[in-house]
Amino acid sequence: CAWDFYCTAIMATFTFGGEPGSEEFAEGVKFATMSLAVHACLYVVLGFFVDNLMTFLRGPLRSLVFAHLVASLSFAAVCTGDKWCAFVGNVVLAIPTQVILNCPYTWVEENPLFTAAHRGANMGRLNTSFAAAQLLVSVFSGPLVQ
């Protein structure tokens, strides 16, 4: 989610320019918001097909490699300065995001030590680790940006 908002902020700034409060920047924010809305719809639809995609890519490891490659291309497209290239890059980012967020759960379920009785605890630990990672990144990257 944070990457999605980050990409829309970059899109609004690089593609349309202008200072916050200017007409150019306001137009960029509207365009980026539209891109985020399309991205969110695609993300929801892809949720129904992510298992098929991971099976097609022959497992979680290959899926992660694919997802990181597509994410890198999406980030590059967002930074081009061309509004339609940035739009497509932001929308396509829904694919790797869905794969990256689902691979850890697949690994937990494929673990030979996994039992259905421990499902809740394992998923809780995994969710907590994601939240902790986001907290650390937000706390320690803020000063770097400023």
Side-chain angles (χ1 to χ4, degrees):
C1 185
W3 282 116
D4 303 334
F5 289 109
Y6 180 69
C7 283
T8 55
I10 289 175
M11 185 187 307
T13 304
F14 282 172
T15 306
F16 290 86
E19 296 293 319
S22 69
E23 285 187 36
E24 296 88 11
F25 190 76
E27 184 180 340
V29 169
K30 287 179 187 175
F31 189 79
T33 302
M34 180 181 63
S35 170
L36 184 60
V38 174
H39 166 98
C41 292
L42 180 61
Y43 180 82
V44 170
V45 170
L46 285 172
F48 295 103
F49 302 104
V50 72
D51 289 335
N52 295 339
L53 178 61
M54 290 174 63
T55 300
F56 175 76
L57 294 170
R58 298 190 180 129
L61 184 58
R62 289 184 181 172
S63 298
L64 277 178
V65 170
F66 166 79
H68 283 89
L69 177 65
V70 172
S72 297
L73 294 173
S74 295
F75 292 141
V78 167
C79 294
T80 61
D82 179 68
K83 74 178 189 177
W84 291 109
C85 192
F87 180 89
V88 170
N90 193 32
V91 170
V92 168
L93 188 59
I95 299 167
T97 302
Q98 192 63 272
V99 171
I100 290 167
L101 291 176
N102 281 288
C103 275
Y105 296 101
T106 303
W107 276 329
V108 167
E109 299 249 347
E110 290 179 355
N111 185 335
L113 300 175
F114 178 82
T115 63
H118 296 112
R119 179 184 305 269
N122 287 337
M123 295 305 163
R125 287 186 194 103
L126 193 55
N127 286 334
T128 301
S129 70
F130 291 149
Q134 288 178 340
L135 175 69
L136 290 174
V137 168
S138 65
V139 167
F140 292 111
S141 69
L144 294 175
V145 174
Q146 295 176 3

